[in-house]
Amino acid sequence: MSDRVGLRGAGVTPPAASTTDRSARPLLRAVDATRTVPELAGLLRELRRREARQQGETQLTYRQLAAKTGWSRGVIGEYFAGNILPPTERFDVLIRLLGATVSEQGALATARDRVEEARRRPDPDGAATVRTGGGRGRGRPAPLPVPRQLPPALPGFVGRAEQLAQLDAGGDPASTVVVLSGTAGVGKTTLAVHWAHRAADRFPDGQLYVDLRGFDSTGAVVTPAEAVHGFLEVLGVPPERMPVHLSAQVGLYRSLLAERRVLVLLDNAHDVEQVRPLLPGSPGCRVLVTSRNRLAGLIAAEGARSITVGLLSSAESWQLLARRLGAHRLTVEPQVVDEMVERCARLPLALAVLAARGAAHPTFPLATLAADLRESARLSDAFDTGDAGTDVHAVFSWSYRSLTPAAARLFRLIGCHPGPEVGIPAAASLAGLPRARLPRLLAELADAHLVAEHAPGRFGAHDLLRAYATELTERLDPDDQRQAAVRRGLDHYLHSAHAAAVLLQPGWDPTALSDALPGVVPERITDQGQALAWFTAEHRVLLAAVVHAGRTRCDGHAWRLARTLVDFLQRQGRWSDLADAQRVALAAAGRAGEPAGQANAHRDLARALVRLGREEEAAGHYRSALALFAELGDHSGQARTHRAFGAMLDALGRYEESLHHATRALALYEHTGHPAGQASARNAVGWAYARLGRYGAAREHCEQALALLRRTDDRHGEANTWDSLGFIHDRLGHHRRATRCYGRALTLYQRIGDRYDEADTLTRLGESRHAAGDRPGALRTWRRALAILDGLGHPDAERVRERLAVA
């Protein structure tokens, strides 16, 4: 009774009891003999006819069966034709709809499993088969075609070891879909095809391939219907059996791939909707998708794995060129090759275009190719091949055209940004948009791989994409809008950096700034820790912004930005960066006619030159700075310059001259009422006395400096003074007291991120320990100092090595 009630509840009329005895026995005998798909299909057809006779009605139509089973009409037709074995899922619903008795249901389910087991056993010739036949289904199974659609693998494939390992590993067995995503021209298809050929033997039932042309220049995107129709043709479905509707085609496609091991490569997909209908349902199949977009929907809904394809490394770029041009041509001109790699931004497509030019002229020196790149005014000139498929400018444009208008504008404005990366707050100021709108727009650019999120909230684009953005903004955006964007970006960095510099070095003299343009919202930085973290994250951008400001003739921004960087770059030991920025600042201040900017740039350039071992040149800049500050009546500027000049003379062993400059700085700071400056100068006077052996006066001045520093938040000045006291106590033979002073200095240097001065103090602490007879402690300390100096690439490392060698 429960079976009959359940069938009616499902909209299925159960067979009459009297029918079971009369009709089931012949059918059951036929079921027992069933071994093939066509034989099983014959039983289904017989059930359908019998049910119609018993009910006195016409047979159930495929439409009716589809509505009750959830399968498509086309797939049901294939089941009844014997072309496809019905899956286990919902097979019981189908045979109950066809009026099978309880005993027939069990026998038919067993027969279906027996047929499936027989299909899994390979034929003697090793071919997979699909059961076809007419009439009563007694025909010989015909082999299902084994497609081999992969395009040729690119000869000379290089690199991608990490991505190949990820593809080989397979990841979660439940994840049968892998998305290779990356920017245009990065080599996604090359990687996918290379791996597909390498892994072909894992998929004995074939490899399907389609170029979906998701970013085609003609706009002729391949639709899912076109793609699946092509797959069905390759799988041997004749025109008369081809379903009309997409849903039926997809159902047939998935049924044909059921229980098979096929690799499906979907190349150049535009979006999830283009891919989803082409996913097989069989866990034995693997789908590899390439796209410039991330296709996050596949990851979320289908559990796809995502593998990002990035730029080649420099070494891989060399390998690519060597494969195309011959290693001997590269070794003759290694510096030229480095330039070519850099100008191609390590983008495989650009490197391939350049290599093709070189291969076409095997006798030309590579320097001619590099010169062509150097002299090309536009990206379209540098990498124009005449073929839209390999033209770098063209392939970028296909990604750009897919953007929304707001995201497209933001991408163009990246051409107004100094690079190499931008944070969300700076991007908001650049675009003059509320900060809340930027995450969505940047995510759209990242999804299209027109930018990459290198760190949380920080986005960058390689040089060729930045050049493309610059060309777009110059061509599409009016001059006034472009110039306003440049100014907003520089305003953002200048106002943010100025606030951070004041916090990082409380004794720093602020500079008067003009108001930022509307739409600019500088960073909110509230303490020294945040200031240090901000400079750490942004210093490369700020250095680029100094150059960008000078190039765009925003000269006031150029020298003021360079000045904000001085203390941070000194602490990090980035002397070359500091020197480069100050040279730009000096030229910019000169063009702007701002002597205050020139004076500051002279002094800060001199600081860097001292560390680079160019003391004579540095002395000239110090004197120029002192003269300009004197003309301006800027006592604080003069004092800071005397303090720095004296430090240089101390390093040269000219202690009396160093004391003179330190004393002059102290007098000027006392005249201006500058507590942090007075503390710094008193410490400098104390240090100079210590170098002259006058330790009593030295200690007195340094202790007065500490008292002044308690009224400020100048941790750097405090660290310098504890270091001086450590030196004084060491010279007095108070080694334990010296160690404590040096320890306090080191704690402060580490807290404020001053790597160079930390190493300098460690060097002196090692000397104190060695003098106290603690050789193991001295060696440990010197090794710590050496590790820091080597990391900074600083020449002082050699002196520490010498100490270690003789200790």
PDB file of all heavy atoms in Angstrom, residues 421 458 500 504 525 528-542 565 568-569 571-572 574 751-755:
ATOM      1  N   GLU A 421      52.874  51.572  -6.915  1.00  0.00           N
ATOM      2  CA  GLU A 421      51.616  51.016  -6.434  1.00  0.00           C
ATOM      3  C   GLU A 421      50.837  52.110  -5.726  1.00  0.00           C
ATOM      4  O   GLU A 421      51.380  53.170  -5.395  1.00  0.00           O
ATOM      5  CB  GLU A 421      51.865  49.823  -5.498  1.00  0.00           C
ATOM      6  CG  GLU A 421      52.690  50.175  -4.267  1.00  0.00           C
ATOM      7  CD  GLU A 421      53.025  48.959  -3.418  1.00  0.00           C
ATOM      8  OE1 GLU A 421      52.969  47.840  -3.956  1.00  0.00           O
ATOM      9  OE2 GLU A 421      53.325  49.147  -2.224  1.00  0.00           O
ATOM     10  N   ARG A 458      46.670  47.351  -1.404  1.00  0.00           N
ATOM     11  CA  ARG A 458      47.703  48.028  -2.194  1.00  0.00           C
ATOM     12  C   ARG A 458      47.743  47.406  -3.590  1.00  0.00           C
ATOM     13  O   ARG A 458      47.927  46.189  -3.729  1.00  0.00           O
ATOM     14  CB  ARG A 458      49.071  47.944  -1.523  1.00  0.00           C
ATOM     15  CG  ARG A 458      49.086  48.630  -0.156  1.00  0.00           C
ATOM     16  CD  ARG A 458      50.507  48.853   0.320  1.00  0.00           C
ATOM     17  NE  ARG A 458      51.223  49.813  -0.521  1.00  0.00           N
ATOM     18  CZ  ARG A 458      51.079  51.131  -0.453  1.00  0.00           C
ATOM     19  NH1 ARG A 458      50.222  51.674   0.390  1.00  0.00           N
ATOM     20  NH2 ARG A 458      51.789  51.925  -1.245  1.00  0.00           N
ATOM     21  N   ALA A 500      53.254  62.758   8.844  1.00  0.00           N
ATOM     22  CA  ALA A 500      54.021  61.616   9.344  1.00  0.00           C
ATOM     23  C   ALA A 500      55.424  62.029   9.761  1.00  0.00           C
ATOM     24  O   ALA A 500      55.963  61.539  10.766  1.00  0.00           O
ATOM     25  CB  ALA A 500      54.082  60.528   8.269  1.00  0.00           C
ATOM     26  N   LEU A 504      57.298  61.411  13.279  1.00  0.00           N
ATOM     27  CA  LEU A 504      58.464  60.539  13.297  1.00  0.00           C
ATOM     28  C   LEU A 504      59.655  61.229  13.964  1.00  0.00           C
ATOM     29  O   LEU A 504      60.431  60.591  14.678  1.00  0.00           O
ATOM     30  CB  LEU A 504      58.831  60.139  11.859  1.00  0.00           C
ATOM     31  CG  LEU A 504      59.815  58.992  11.689  1.00  0.00           C
ATOM     32  CD1 LEU A 504      59.205  57.683  12.192  1.00  0.00           C
ATOM     33  CD2 LEU A 504      60.203  58.845  10.215  1.00  0.00           C
ATOM     34  N   ILE A 525      47.205  59.960  10.394  1.00  0.00           N
ATOM     35  CA  ILE A 525      48.340  59.337  11.083  1.00  0.00           C
ATOM     36  C   ILE A 525      48.464  60.019  12.437  1.00  0.00           C
ATOM     37  O   ILE A 525      48.622  61.243  12.510  1.00  0.00           O
ATOM     38  CB  ILE A 525      49.628  59.501  10.256  1.00  0.00           C
ATOM     39  CG1 ILE A 525      49.432  58.912   8.856  1.00  0.00           C
ATOM     40  CG2 ILE A 525      50.806  58.838  10.952  1.00  0.00           C
ATOM     41  CD1 ILE A 525      50.510  59.300   7.870  1.00  0.00           C
ATOM     42  N   GLN A 528      53.821  57.892  16.392  1.00  0.00           N
ATOM     43  CA  GLN A 528      55.087  57.540  15.747  1.00  0.00           C
ATOM     44  C   GLN A 528      55.024  56.165  15.089  1.00  0.00           C
ATOM     45  O   GLN A 528      55.590  55.953  14.011  1.00  0.00           O
ATOM     46  CB  GLN A 528      56.226  57.571  16.768  1.00  0.00           C
ATOM     47  CG  GLN A 528      56.764  58.956  17.047  1.00  0.00           C
ATOM     48  CD  GLN A 528      58.079  58.917  17.827  1.00  0.00           C
ATOM     49  OE1 GLN A 528      58.586  57.853  18.157  1.00  0.00           O
ATOM     50  NE2 GLN A 528      58.628  60.091  18.108  1.00  0.00           N
ATOM     51  N   GLY A 529      54.369  55.220  15.740  1.00  0.00           N
ATOM     52  CA  GLY A 529      54.260  53.884  15.172  1.00  0.00           C
ATOM     53  C   GLY A 529      53.544  53.899  13.825  1.00  0.00           C
ATOM     54  O   GLY A 529      53.988  53.257  12.865  1.00  0.00           O
ATOM     55  N   GLN A 530      52.446  54.626  13.754  1.00  0.00           N
ATOM     56  CA  GLN A 530      51.717  54.737  12.487  1.00  0.00           C
ATOM     57  C   GLN A 530      52.548  55.473  11.443  1.00  0.00           C
ATOM     58  O   GLN A 530      52.519  55.124  10.257  1.00  0.00           O
ATOM     59  CB  GLN A 530      50.393  55.463  12.704  1.00  0.00           C
ATOM     60  CG  GLN A 530      49.349  54.651  13.447  1.00  0.00           C
ATOM     61  CD  GLN A 530      48.038  55.398  13.573  1.00  0.00           C
ATOM     62  OE1 GLN A 530      47.851  56.471  12.985  1.00  0.00           O
ATOM     63  NE2 GLN A 530      47.114  54.842  14.349  1.00  0.00           N
ATOM     64  N   ALA A 531      53.279  56.488  11.889  1.00  0.00           N
ATOM     65  CA  ALA A 531      54.112  57.250  10.945  1.00  0.00           C
ATOM     66  C   ALA A 531      55.189  56.358  10.338  1.00  0.00           C
ATOM     67  O   ALA A 531      55.421  56.374   9.117  1.00  0.00           O
ATOM     68  CB  ALA A 531      54.751  58.435  11.660  1.00  0.00           C
ATOM     69  N   LEU A 532      55.853  55.560  11.183  1.00  0.00           N
ATOM     70  CA  LEU A 532      56.891  54.661  10.677  1.00  0.00           C
ATOM     71  C   LEU A 532      56.292  53.622   9.728  1.00  0.00           C
ATOM     72  O   LEU A 532      56.857  53.337   8.660  1.00  0.00           O
ATOM     73  CB  LEU A 532      57.593  53.976  11.851  1.00  0.00           C
ATOM     74  CG  LEU A 532      58.685  52.973  11.480  1.00  0.00           C
ATOM     75  CD1 LEU A 532      59.792  53.661  10.681  1.00  0.00           C
ATOM     76  CD2 LEU A 532      59.259  52.322  12.745  1.00  0.00           C
ATOM     77  N   ALA A 533      55.137  53.058  10.111  1.00  0.00           N
ATOM     78  CA  ALA A 533      54.494  52.054   9.257  1.00  0.00           C
ATOM     79  C   ALA A 533      54.082  52.659   7.917  1.00  0.00           C
ATOM     80  O   ALA A 533      54.209  52.013   6.864  1.00  0.00           O
ATOM     81  CB  ALA A 533      53.281  51.456   9.967  1.00  0.00           C
ATOM     82  N   TRP A 534      53.591  53.896   7.957  1.00  0.00           N
ATOM     83  CA  TRP A 534      53.158  54.540   6.711  1.00  0.00           C
ATOM     84  C   TRP A 534      54.353  54.803   5.791  1.00  0.00           C
ATOM     85  O   TRP A 534      54.295  54.522   4.592  1.00  0.00           O
ATOM     86  CB  TRP A 534      52.426  55.846   7.017  1.00  0.00           C
ATOM     87  CG  TRP A 534      51.815  56.461   5.798  1.00  0.00           C
ATOM     88  CD1 TRP A 534      50.622  56.131   5.219  1.00  0.00           C
ATOM     89  CD2 TRP A 534      52.384  57.496   4.986  1.00  0.00           C
ATOM     90  NE1 TRP A 534      50.404  56.893   4.091  1.00  0.00           N
ATOM     91  CE2 TRP A 534      51.472  57.742   3.930  1.00  0.00           C
ATOM     92  CE3 TRP A 534      53.550  58.236   5.045  1.00  0.00           C
ATOM     93  CZ2 TRP A 534      51.707  58.698   2.938  1.00  0.00           C
ATOM     94  CZ3 TRP A 534      53.791  59.189   4.067  1.00  0.00           C
ATOM     95  CH2 TRP A 534      52.866  59.409   3.025  1.00  0.00           C
ATOM     96  N   PHE A 535      55.434  55.337   6.341  1.00  0.00           N
ATOM     97  CA  PHE A 535      56.625  55.573   5.516  1.00  0.00           C
ATOM     98  C   PHE A 535      57.175  54.251   4.965  1.00  0.00           C
ATOM     99  O   PHE A 535      57.637  54.182   3.827  1.00  0.00           O
ATOM    100  CB  PHE A 535      57.710  56.291   6.315  1.00  0.00           C
ATOM    101  CG  PHE A 535      57.619  57.791   6.270  1.00  0.00           C
ATOM    102  CD1 PHE A 535      57.459  58.534   7.435  1.00  0.00           C
ATOM    103  CD2 PHE A 535      57.703  58.464   5.065  1.00  0.00           C
ATOM    104  CE1 PHE A 535      57.385  59.927   7.394  1.00  0.00           C
ATOM    105  CE2 PHE A 535      57.631  59.858   5.005  1.00  0.00           C
ATOM    106  CZ  PHE A 535      57.467  60.579   6.171  1.00  0.00           C
ATOM    107  N   THR A 536      57.148  53.208   5.780  1.00  0.00           N
ATOM    108  CA  THR A 536      57.637  51.905   5.327  1.00  0.00           C
ATOM    109  C   THR A 536      56.841  51.415   4.126  1.00  0.00           C
ATOM    110  O   THR A 536      57.407  50.892   3.153  1.00  0.00           O
ATOM    111  CB  THR A 536      57.565  50.880   6.470  1.00  0.00           C
ATOM    112  OG1 THR A 536      58.358  51.344   7.578  1.00  0.00           O
ATOM    113  CG2 THR A 536      58.073  49.521   6.026  1.00  0.00           C
ATOM    114  N   ALA A 537      55.516  51.590   4.186  1.00  0.00           N
ATOM    115  CA  ALA A 537      54.663  51.136   3.082  1.00  0.00           C
ATOM    116  C   ALA A 537      54.759  52.029   1.856  1.00  0.00           C
ATOM    117  O   ALA A 537      54.674  51.549   0.721  1.00  0.00           O
ATOM    118  CB  ALA A 537      53.211  51.063   3.560  1.00  0.00           C
ATOM    119  N   GLU A 538      54.976  53.338   2.075  1.00  0.00           N
ATOM    120  CA  GLU A 538      54.840  54.293   0.976  1.00  0.00           C
ATOM    121  C   GLU A 538      56.152  54.874   0.458  1.00  0.00           C
ATOM    122  O   GLU A 538      56.129  55.636  -0.520  1.00  0.00           O
ATOM    123  CB  GLU A 538      53.949  55.467   1.429  1.00  0.00           C
ATOM    124  CG  GLU A 538      52.529  55.084   1.808  1.00  0.00           C
ATOM    125  CD  GLU A 538      51.660  54.765   0.592  1.00  0.00           C
ATOM    126  OE1 GLU A 538      52.156  54.823  -0.549  1.00  0.00           O
ATOM    127  OE2 GLU A 538      50.481  54.456   0.798  1.00  0.00           O
ATOM    128  N   HIS A 539      57.295  54.527   1.046  1.00  0.00           N
ATOM    129  CA  HIS A 539      58.504  55.274   0.679  1.00  0.00           C
ATOM    130  C   HIS A 539      58.862  55.122  -0.798  1.00  0.00           C
ATOM    131  O   HIS A 539      59.364  56.066  -1.412  1.00  0.00           O
ATOM    132  CB  HIS A 539      59.681  54.872   1.575  1.00  0.00           C
ATOM    133  CG  HIS A 539      60.249  53.522   1.311  1.00  0.00           C
ATOM    134  ND1 HIS A 539      59.749  52.373   1.890  1.00  0.00           N
ATOM    135  CD2 HIS A 539      61.280  53.123   0.522  1.00  0.00           C
ATOM    136  CE1 HIS A 539      60.448  51.338   1.460  1.00  0.00           C
ATOM    137  NE2 HIS A 539      61.374  51.756   0.634  1.00  0.00           N
ATOM    138  N   ARG A 540      58.612  53.946  -1.389  1.00  0.00           N
ATOM    139  CA  ARG A 540      58.922  53.798  -2.826  1.00  0.00           C
ATOM    140  C   ARG A 540      58.019  54.694  -3.662  1.00  0.00           C
ATOM    141  O   ARG A 540      58.448  55.272  -4.665  1.00  0.00           O
ATOM    142  CB  ARG A 540      58.757  52.343  -3.248  1.00  0.00           C
ATOM    143  CG  ARG A 540      59.810  51.410  -2.681  1.00  0.00           C
ATOM    144  CD  ARG A 540      59.808  50.080  -3.418  1.00  0.00           C
ATOM    145  NE  ARG A 540      58.484  49.476  -3.446  1.00  0.00           N
ATOM    146  CZ  ARG A 540      58.031  48.719  -4.429  1.00  0.00           C
ATOM    147  NH1 ARG A 540      58.784  48.485  -5.492  1.00  0.00           N
ATOM    148  NH2 ARG A 540      56.812  48.194  -4.371  1.00  0.00           N
ATOM    149  N   VAL A 541      56.756  54.795  -3.252  1.00  0.00           N
ATOM    150  CA  VAL A 541      55.833  55.682  -3.953  1.00  0.00           C
ATOM    151  C   VAL A 541      56.261  57.131  -3.781  1.00  0.00           C
ATOM    152  O   VAL A 541      56.234  57.926  -4.734  1.00  0.00           O
ATOM    153  CB  VAL A 541      54.390  55.481  -3.453  1.00  0.00           C
ATOM    154  CG1 VAL A 541      53.424  56.397  -4.200  1.00  0.00           C
ATOM    155  CG2 VAL A 541      53.963  54.033  -3.601  1.00  0.00           C
ATOM    156  N   LEU A 542      56.679  57.491  -2.582  1.00  0.00           N
ATOM    157  CA  LEU A 542      57.086  58.874  -2.321  1.00  0.00           C
ATOM    158  C   LEU A 542      58.327  59.242  -3.130  1.00  0.00           C
ATOM    159  O   LEU A 542      58.428  60.366  -3.648  1.00  0.00           O
ATOM    160  CB  LEU A 542      57.337  59.070  -0.828  1.00  0.00           C
ATOM    161  CG  LEU A 542      56.105  58.913   0.070  1.00  0.00           C
ATOM    162  CD1 LEU A 542      56.512  58.939   1.534  1.00  0.00           C
ATOM    163  CD2 LEU A 542      55.074  60.003  -0.210  1.00  0.00           C
ATOM    164  N   LEU A 565      61.078  62.961   3.494  1.00  0.00           N
ATOM    165  CA  LEU A 565      61.642  61.609   3.471  1.00  0.00           C
ATOM    166  C   LEU A 565      62.977  61.486   4.193  1.00  0.00           C
ATOM    167  O   LEU A 565      63.452  60.367   4.427  1.00  0.00           O
ATOM    168  CB  LEU A 565      61.837  61.166   2.017  1.00  0.00           C
ATOM    169  CG  LEU A 565      60.610  60.622   1.292  1.00  0.00           C
ATOM    170  CD1 LEU A 565      60.821  60.661  -0.211  1.00  0.00           C
ATOM    171  CD2 LEU A 565      60.316  59.204   1.760  1.00  0.00           C
ATOM    172  N   PHE A 568      63.364  59.301   7.588  1.00  0.00           N
ATOM    173  CA  PHE A 568      63.060  57.885   7.371  1.00  0.00           C
ATOM    174  C   PHE A 568      64.170  57.212   6.562  1.00  0.00           C
ATOM    175  O   PHE A 568      64.635  56.122   6.909  1.00  0.00           O
ATOM    176  CB  PHE A 568      61.721  57.722   6.662  1.00  0.00           C
ATOM    177  CG  PHE A 568      61.430  56.292   6.289  1.00  0.00           C
ATOM    178  CD1 PHE A 568      60.961  55.399   7.238  1.00  0.00           C
ATOM    179  CD2 PHE A 568      61.669  55.824   5.000  1.00  0.00           C
ATOM    180  CE1 PHE A 568      60.722  54.061   6.913  1.00  0.00           C
ATOM    181  CE2 PHE A 568      61.431  54.510   4.659  1.00  0.00           C
ATOM    182  CZ  PHE A 568      60.953  53.619   5.619  1.00  0.00           C
ATOM    183  N   LEU A 569      64.591  57.840   5.478  1.00  0.00           N
ATOM    184  CA  LEU A 569      65.613  57.223   4.629  1.00  0.00           C
ATOM    185  C   LEU A 569      66.943  57.105   5.367  1.00  0.00           C
ATOM    186  O   LEU A 569      67.684  56.127   5.179  1.00  0.00           O
ATOM    187  CB  LEU A 569      65.786  58.028   3.340  1.00  0.00           C
ATOM    188  CG  LEU A 569      64.583  58.012   2.381  1.00  0.00           C
ATOM    189  CD1 LEU A 569      64.848  58.912   1.177  1.00  0.00           C
ATOM    190  CD2 LEU A 569      64.271  56.591   1.916  1.00  0.00           C
ATOM    191  N   ARG A 571      67.292  56.631   8.607  1.00  0.00           N
ATOM    192  CA  ARG A 571      67.152  55.525   9.554  1.00  0.00           C
ATOM    193  C   ARG A 571      67.274  54.169   8.859  1.00  0.00           C
ATOM    194  O   ARG A 571      67.745  53.205   9.454  1.00  0.00           O
ATOM    195  CB  ARG A 571      65.799  55.619  10.267  1.00  0.00           C
ATOM    196  CG  ARG A 571      65.682  56.832  11.158  1.00  0.00           C
ATOM    197  CD  ARG A 571      64.355  56.866  11.874  1.00  0.00           C
ATOM    198  NE  ARG A 571      64.174  58.135  12.573  1.00  0.00           N
ATOM    199  CZ  ARG A 571      63.205  58.370  13.440  1.00  0.00           C
ATOM    200  NH1 ARG A 571      62.322  57.420  13.718  1.00  0.00           N
ATOM    201  NH2 ARG A 571      63.109  59.548  14.040  1.00  0.00           N
ATOM    202  N   GLN A 572      66.811  54.109   7.634  1.00  0.00           N
ATOM    203  CA  GLN A 572      66.860  52.855   6.889  1.00  0.00           C
ATOM    204  C   GLN A 572      68.192  52.654   6.167  1.00  0.00           C
ATOM    205  O   GLN A 572      68.417  51.607   5.549  1.00  0.00           O
ATOM    206  CB  GLN A 572      65.728  52.824   5.852  1.00  0.00           C
ATOM    207  CG  GLN A 572      64.341  52.843   6.463  1.00  0.00           C
ATOM    208  CD  GLN A 572      64.060  51.595   7.271  1.00  0.00           C
ATOM    209  OE1 GLN A 572      64.193  50.485   6.778  1.00  0.00           O
ATOM    210  NE2 GLN A 572      63.658  51.772   8.529  1.00  0.00           N
ATOM    211  N   ARG A 574      69.203  54.251   3.507  1.00  0.00           N
ATOM    212  CA  ARG A 574      68.988  54.341   2.057  1.00  0.00           C
ATOM    213  C   ARG A 574      69.627  55.618   1.523  1.00  0.00           C
ATOM    214  O   ARG A 574      68.943  56.550   1.098  1.00  0.00           O
ATOM    215  CB  ARG A 574      67.488  54.284   1.748  1.00  0.00           C
ATOM    216  CG  ARG A 574      66.831  52.984   2.191  1.00  0.00           C
ATOM    217  CD  ARG A 574      65.327  52.981   1.919  1.00  0.00           C
ATOM    218  NE  ARG A 574      64.718  51.735   2.311  1.00  0.00           N
ATOM    219  CZ  ARG A 574      64.632  50.644   1.544  1.00  0.00           C
ATOM    220  NH1 ARG A 574      65.137  50.671   0.316  1.00  0.00           N
ATOM    221  NH2 ARG A 574      64.062  49.541   1.980  1.00  0.00           N
ATOM    222  N   ARG A 751      62.766  50.394  18.223  1.00  0.00           N
ATOM    223  CA  ARG A 751      61.370  50.838  18.274  1.00  0.00           C
ATOM    224  C   ARG A 751      61.042  51.816  17.155  1.00  0.00           C
ATOM    225  O   ARG A 751      59.938  51.791  16.604  1.00  0.00           O
ATOM    226  CB  ARG A 751      61.093  51.472  19.636  1.00  0.00           C
ATOM    227  CG  ARG A 751      59.618  51.761  19.912  1.00  0.00           C
ATOM    228  CD  ARG A 751      59.446  52.315  21.319  1.00  0.00           C
ATOM    229  NE  ARG A 751      59.923  51.363  22.326  1.00  0.00           N
ATOM    230  CZ  ARG A 751      60.086  51.658  23.611  1.00  0.00           C
ATOM    231  NH1 ARG A 751      59.842  52.888  24.043  1.00  0.00           N
ATOM    232  NH2 ARG A 751      60.513  50.747  24.459  1.00  0.00           N
ATOM    233  N   ILE A 752      62.001  52.651  16.798  1.00  0.00           N
ATOM    234  CA  ILE A 752      61.731  53.654  15.754  1.00  0.00           C
ATOM    235  C   ILE A 752      62.216  53.207  14.380  1.00  0.00           C
ATOM    236  O   ILE A 752      62.095  53.945  13.403  1.00  0.00           O
ATOM    237  CB  ILE A 752      62.379  55.019  16.120  1.00  0.00           C
ATOM    238  CG1 ILE A 752      63.909  54.892  16.198  1.00  0.00           C
ATOM    239  CG2 ILE A 752      61.784  55.564  17.407  1.00  0.00           C
ATOM    240  CD1 ILE A 752      64.613  56.206  16.489  1.00  0.00           C
ATOM    241  N   GLY A 753      62.769  51.991  14.285  1.00  0.00           N
ATOM    242  CA  GLY A 753      63.151  51.453  12.986  1.00  0.00           C
ATOM    243  C   GLY A 753      64.400  52.069  12.395  1.00  0.00           C
ATOM    244  O   GLY A 753      64.546  52.095  11.168  1.00  0.00           O
ATOM    245  N   ASP A 754      65.344  52.514  13.242  1.00  0.00           N
ATOM    246  CA  ASP A 754      66.584  53.108  12.745  1.00  0.00           C
ATOM    247  C   ASP A 754      67.630  52.003  12.649  1.00  0.00           C
ATOM    248  O   ASP A 754      68.360  51.726  13.603  1.00  0.00           O
ATOM    249  CB  ASP A 754      67.053  54.223  13.683  1.00  0.00           C
ATOM    250  CG  ASP A 754      68.227  55.020  13.099  1.00  0.00           C
ATOM    251  OD1 ASP A 754      68.945  54.464  12.247  1.00  0.00           O
ATOM    252  OD2 ASP A 754      68.404  56.181  13.493  1.00  0.00           O
ATOM    253  N   ARG A 755      67.724  51.370  11.486  1.00  0.00           N
ATOM    254  CA  ARG A 755      68.584  50.209  11.312  1.00  0.00           C
ATOM    255  C   ARG A 755      70.077  50.585  11.331  1.00  0.00           C
ATOM    256  O   ARG A 755      70.888  49.873  11.926  1.00  0.00           O
ATOM    257  CB  ARG A 755      68.245  49.504   9.990  1.00  0.00           C
ATOM    258  CG  ARG A 755      66.816  49.016   9.910  1.00  0.00           C
ATOM    259  CD  ARG A 755      66.591  47.840  10.836  1.00  0.00           C
ATOM    260  NE  ARG A 755      67.192  46.611  10.312  1.00  0.00           N
ATOM    261  CZ  ARG A 755      67.474  45.546  11.061  1.00  0.00           C
ATOM    262  NH1 ARG A 755      67.256  45.576  12.358  1.00  0.00           N
ATOM    263  NH2 ARG A 755      67.999  44.459  10.515  1.00  0.00           N
TER     264      ARG A 755
END
